[in-house]
Amino acid sequence: MTVIAAPKDPLKSAKMLRLTRRVRQLRTIEVESRLQVAVKLGDALRTGRDILEGHDEAWLRLLGLHRLRAGSLRALAQFAREEPRRFRRWTALGVSRLTRLARLTSEARRRLLKECDRAKLMRMGFRRFRRMTKAMLSSTLKVTPEVRAMGLP
């Protein structure tokens, strides 16, 4: 009787394990680079908004940035500035998820990150992550006298 050895798994070869480790390192560097650019951009947008005393709509149009995107970038920069340790700890989540987290209040962000472990958040799809954070987002709508006159909150 001839015994046939099971084929070796090419993914477990030393060469592939080294290559996998290198690709993961490069992906980490890519995410960190994107985050650094996004934070610097958010800081620049905040500075521009301060110079223009809050009337930056024309400038954003000139830059080709939607006001919501600009607000998200400013929030990301603020998160990085106000909570640097927490920001660095969660950089593996990437730009989109960290931007979403940045839009939460400090308390909501702390609660969410305490409840969920890193592995769970990393595996979670962005749609599910967005649904999870949607209820925690604070409204940025300004209630004007006209809105109150119509009987709205």
Side-chain angles (χ1 to χ4, degrees):
M1 180 166 140
T2 308
V3 177
I4 301 174
K8 291 184 179 180
D9 185 355
L11 293 178
K12 293 185 179 178
S13 71
K15 191 174 187 177
M16 282 308 296
L17 290 174
R18 280 192 307 275
L19 184 59
T20 300
R21 194 172 325 124
R22 180 66 182 141
V23 169
R24 285 185 175 149
Q25 288 170 342
L26 290 170
R27 289 186 69 200
T28 300
I29 291 167
E30 175 195 18
V31 168
E32 289 171 355
S33 296
R34 287 171 143 188
L35 276 171
Q36 288 173 359
V37 169
V39 167
K40 287 178 182 178
L41 184 54
D43 280 334
L45 291 170
R46 182 182 52 84
T47 302
R49 185 176 199 178
D50 291 347
I51 291 169
L52 296 170
E53 298 175 353
H55 302 286
D56 59 347
E57 299 86 8
W59 183 52
L60 292 175
R61 276 194 303 277
L62 179 69
L63 293 171
L65 276 172
H66 191 276
R67 66 179 179 78
L68 294 176
R69 178 69 180 143
S72 293
L73 289 167
R74 284 191 299 265
L76 184 68
Q78 183 177 349
F79 176 30
R81 196 172 47 257
E82 291 177 356
E83 300 181 63
R85 289 179 67 201
R86 183 169 284 135
F87 183 83
R88 278 193 309 273
R89 181 168 186 256
W90 293 94
T91 55
L93 290 177
V95 177
S96 296
R97 290 176 194 196
L98 273 179
T99 300
R100 189 82 179 171
L101 283 175
R103 293 180 58 210
L104 299 176
T105 63
S106 253
E107 183 56 39
R109 187 170 42 241
R110 209 172 294 120
R111 193 170 3 108
L112 174 75
L113 296 176
K114 195 177 219 179
E115 291 172 5
C116 298
D117 66 336
R118 184 187 308 226
K120 178 182 176 183
L121 290 176
M122 293 293 293
R123 285 190 312 268
M124 191 181 294
F126 186 72
R127 282 187 177 152
R128 186 165 166 224
F129 183 81
R130 188 174 58 196
R131 271 195 313 265
M132 187 173 71
T133 57
K134 187 174 185 175
M136 299 174 137
L137 281 172
S138 59
S139 175
T140 58
L141 295 177
K142 292 182 181 175
V143 180
T144 62
E146 293 83 12
V147 171
R148 282 198 184 98
M150 289 188 282
L152 298 173

